[in-house]
Amino acid sequence: MDMGEFDYTDLLPLGADDTEYRLITTEGVRKVEAAGRTFLEVEPEVLRLLTETAIHDISHFLRASHLAQLRKIVDDPESSGNDRFVALDLLKNASISAGGVLPMCQDTGTAIVMGKRGRHVLTDGLDAKHVSRGVYDAYTRLNLRYSQMAPLTMWEEKNTGSNLPAQIELYAEDPHGHADEYKLLFMAKGGGSANKSFLYQETKAVLNEKRMLAFLEEKIRSLGTAACPPYHLAVVVGGTSAEFALKTAKYASARYLDSIPTEGSASAHGFRDLEMEAKVFELTQKLGIGAQFGGKYFCHDVRVIRLPRHGASCPVAIAVSCSADRQALAKITPEGVFLEKLETDPARFLPETTDEHLSDDVIQVDLNRPMPEILAELTKYPVKTRLSLTGPLVVARDIAHAKIAELLDDGGEMPQYLKDHAVYYAGPAKTPEGYASGSFGPTTAGRMDSYVERFQAAGGSMVMLAKGNRSQQVTDACAKHGGFYLGSIGGPAARLAQDCIKKVEVLEYPELGMEAVWKIEVVDFPAFIVVDDKGDDFFTDRTGPVLSIGRR
C-alpha cells in the first residue's frame, strides 16, 4: 500500500453557524492586551449565569423548528388520529411550559455541557466548577427534579438533592476558527431518551444498503415508545472508537452536527449521508408505530453520519432526542454573552381545530368504581382504544415497587391501595406554589415488568398506567390474571399537571421524596389500551405494515 500524504482534518468539521442568538449580558467580558495579542477575559459569573439561564430556557422552551414539526403532524392528512392527538397534546404542553412555571417534562434530566474555548480566551481555570454552580442554581431555584444518585457503596446510593453532578466536557479548540470565542452546547437528557442510546459492534458485512436497512429496521423497532416519540433519530456508522460513535450520535440527535460535510473524502472526516437519511426516515414512517399509539410519525427526522473506522471494527450507534427536545447553543464573544433564541410563544403553532377533530372516539372511565367494575369496563374494548380517566390513581415507581416486593417476600400482604386502584408509574417534579402538582408525566413502564406477575397474583397492579412498550411477561400476566396496561402519552407532563391532576397526597414512604407512593386525583387523564386481559399487545399484535427489507 502506498504511503499517504499528511492531511489533517477535523473528524467532524462544522460549517458556518447560522443559529439565531439572544444577548444575555455584556458584563463580565472584556478585551485585554498581552504579549502582542488581544485576549478575551471571561469572569466566573459569566459561566454561572449563562449556565443557569440555559438550563431554565431548555426546561421551558423548544426550538421553533421542533414545534413546526409537531404542527406538521397535525396538518398531515396521512397522520393517524392518534398521531394528531399526541402532537396536539405536545403543542399544548409546550404552551403551558413556556409560562416558565412547570417544566415541559417531569424528568428534568442530567445536565450535559460541552464547550470549546478558543486559545485567546482567559478564565480562572475553574470553568467546570462555575458551570456546575449554574446547574446547581437552576435546579434548586426552579421547579425541576433532582435525579442524580450519589453512590455511597457499591449497593447503596443517595439522591444528591441538587441534580449535580453535571456531565461537563471542555475542549481547548478555536470554535469556528475564532481564537477569542467560547462556544457551548447545553443539553438536559432525561433517563427515557438516554436509555435509548445503543452501540452495536458490527462488521464490514453490514456496509451495503440492503443489509444496513434490514439491520436498522430491527434496531429501530426495538426502540419502542418509552422515550416519548416522535423522535429526532440519529444513526452513526463507523467511528475511531466505540465511545466516539456514541458521542457523535448524541450530538447528531441534537442537530449539533447538521453543518458537517455531506460527502466523504480521502481525508477521512465524517459526513452526513442525506440519501440514507431519507431512506431511513421513510422506513420509520412505514413501521406503523407512529407517535406512540399507531400511525406514521415515529420520528420527526433522521440524521445518518458516516465516520472513519479501524478496518477490524465497525461500530454502529443509535440515539434519540425525545419530545422534550432540550438543547441550546451559546457563545461568549467580545460583544457579549449569547444564548440560542428558543420559541417563547409556542401557542402560535396550535391549530384552531379541537380534540374531537384530531382523534378517534374516546371512552370515559370512572376510576371511583370498584376494581372489578373497572376491569369489566376495559375488557369491552380492543387495544389502541383511547380512554379518558377520572378518579383516583396510586403512584409508585422503582424504589416503591422494590419495597413492596420485599414486603411480599417477608410474608406480608399486598397493600390495599394497589388492590383498589390503578397504579401510575411516575415521579413528580417540584410543586410550584398555588399548584396541586408539579410536572407529573409517566415514566418508562418496562422497569417495573419483573414485578407484574407477582403483584397481580397477589391482587395488585391490575390496571397499570405508564409510557412505552412492555415485555412478554407482562402480556402473559395480564392474560392470566385479567389485568390491563394502559399507555399514557409520554411528554406532556406540564399539561397533565395543570389540566388533569387535581390533588396529590403521600400514601407511604415519604422519606423517598419523588419515589414515594402517592395518591392523586385526575380528571380527563388521557390514556390508551396497550395490553389487555386477552393477551393482546398493541406493539406486537397490531396489523401495521411489515417492510420486506426486514425479512432475514
Side-chain angles (χ1 to χ4, degrees), residues 146-150 158-165:
Y146 310 140
S147 300
Q148 304 306 308
M149 307 299 290
K158 179 182 178 182
N159 194 298
T160 62
S162 64
N163 216 55
L164 291 176

Side-chain angles (χ1 to χ4, degrees), residues 206-258:
V206 80
L207 294 182
N208 66 75
E209 182 177 308
K210 184 177 180 180
R211 288 292 300 274
M212 179 60 74
L213 286 173
F215 170 84
L216 290 178
E217 181 189 354
E218 175 188 341
K219 302 309 180 187
I220 291 170
R221 281 185 185 276
S222 72
L223 289 174
T225 61
C228 309
Y231 298 133
H232 299 280
L233 173 66
V235 177
V236 173
V237 179
T240 49
S241 65
E243 63 270 25
F244 188 77
L246 280 168
K247 184 179 295 189
T248 301
K250 177 184 289 185
Y251 292 154
S253 72
R255 278 83 72 215
Y256 177 73
L257 302 176
D258 276 8

Side-chain angles (χ1 to χ4, degrees), residues 160-182:
T160 62
S162 64
N163 216 55
L164 291 176
Q167 178 181 319
I168 302 170
E169 300 177 4
L170 303 175
Y171 300 92
E173 177 181 333
D174 291 353
H176 288 96
H178 296 290
D180 60 350
E181 286 192 4
Y182 202 151

Side-chain angles (χ1 to χ4, degrees), residues 360-371:
D360 300 322
D361 292 338
V362 57
I363 304 301
Q364 304 292 328
V365 178
D366 182 3
L367 298 176
N368 291 290
R369 291 183 292 173
M371 181 55 66

Side-chain angles (χ1 to χ4, degrees), residues 371 375 401 404-421 450-464 477-478 480-483:
M371 181 55 66
L375 296 174
H401 274 69
I404 294 169
E406 290 175 7
L407 176 67
L408 297 178
D409 289 341
D410 293 337
E413 294 289 327
M414 171 64 63
Q416 193 64 36
Y417 53 73
L418 276 186
K419 294 181 179 181
D420 293 341
H421 303 295
S450 61
Y451 301 103
V452 174
E453 164 61 32
R454 181 86 184 278
F455 283 22
Q456 288 191 345
S461 296
M462 296 306 297
V463 177
M464 302 160 287
C478 287
K480 179 179 179 181
H481 300 290

Side-chain angles (χ1 to χ4, degrees), residues 241-284:
S241 65
E243 63 270 25
F244 188 77
L246 280 168
K247 184 179 295 189
T248 301
K250 177 184 289 185
Y251 292 154
S253 72
R255 278 83 72 215
Y256 177 73
L257 302 176
D258 276 8
S259 64
I260 67 172
T262 55
E263 294 182 349
S265 75
S267 297
H269 56 75
F271 66 92
R272 285 180 62 189
D273 188 326
L274 302 183
E275 182 179 353
M276 194 64 175
E277 288 180 1
K279 290 180 178 180
V280 176
F281 182 58
E282 182 182 9
L283 184 159
T284 68

